[in-house]
Amino acid sequence: QVQLVESGGGLVQAGGSLRLSCAASGRTFSTYAMGWFRQAPGKEREFVAGIRWSAGNTWYADSVKGRFTISRDNAKNTVYLQMNSLKPEDTAVYNCAARQSATTAVYGSWGQGTQVTVSE
């Protein structure tokens, strides 16, 4: 099992930036990939960005391409989400999650979430 703790959320004006962090502990050596997800009030949780833990390949939801960047620091067991040009519609609780399998996109470990609020 992998334990995840997010930080870095907050209130920012539209057009501003925030960087989220996700610190992992436990069985991190078994992690295939990490992902960021978000859930806005009254909406389904949606995928935001993902990164291969070892190779560093990244992928993004269309809604954040060109604005968000996911990265990782393997030495610190930490994944980051740099969010630029934030929009009010980016307001949500952001969770990081760990995926162990290369063949099934199931994220088995989740953090508690961090709130991001973007004002007009």
Side-chain angles (χ1 to χ4, degrees):
Q1 191 76 344
V2 177
Q3 291 78 47
L4 304 170
V5 178
E6 302 99 333
S7 61
L11 172 65
V12 64
Q13 286 188 325
S17 298
L18 280 175
R19 189 176 82 154
L20 305 183
S21 299
C22 175
S25 60
R27 296 173 61 87
T28 57
F29 59 86
S30 65
T31 299
Y32 171 77
M34 297 286 292
W36 283 98
F37 294 77
R38 67 186 182 186
Q39 187 167 20
K43 293 189 176 181
E44 297 285 321
R45 183 168 60 196
E46 63 173 350
F47 169 81
V48 175
I51 187 166
R52 281 269 309 269
W53 190 249
S54 57
N57 311 60
T58 59
W59 55 99
Y60 299 90
D62 287 343
S63 58
V64 306
K65 277 181 185 175
R67 301 189 298 123
F68 291 11
T69 303
I70 189 171
S71 62
R72 88 268 191 252
D73 184 332
N74 288 24
K76 294 182 179 180
N77 284 339
T78 300
V79 174
Y80 304 97
L81 185 68
Q82 178 66 44
M83 306 185 293
N84 299 329
S85 302
L86 282 161
K87 305 174 181 179
E89 51 264 43
D90 294 317
T91 295
V93 174
Y94 284 70
N95 292 87
C96 68
R99 169 182 161 185
Q100 271 63 54
S101 172
T103 56
T104 58
V106 175
Y107 289 81
S109 300
W110 292 81
Q112 82 289 350
T114 186
Q115 176 70 46
V116 171
T117 303
V118 184
S119 63
E120 297 279 358

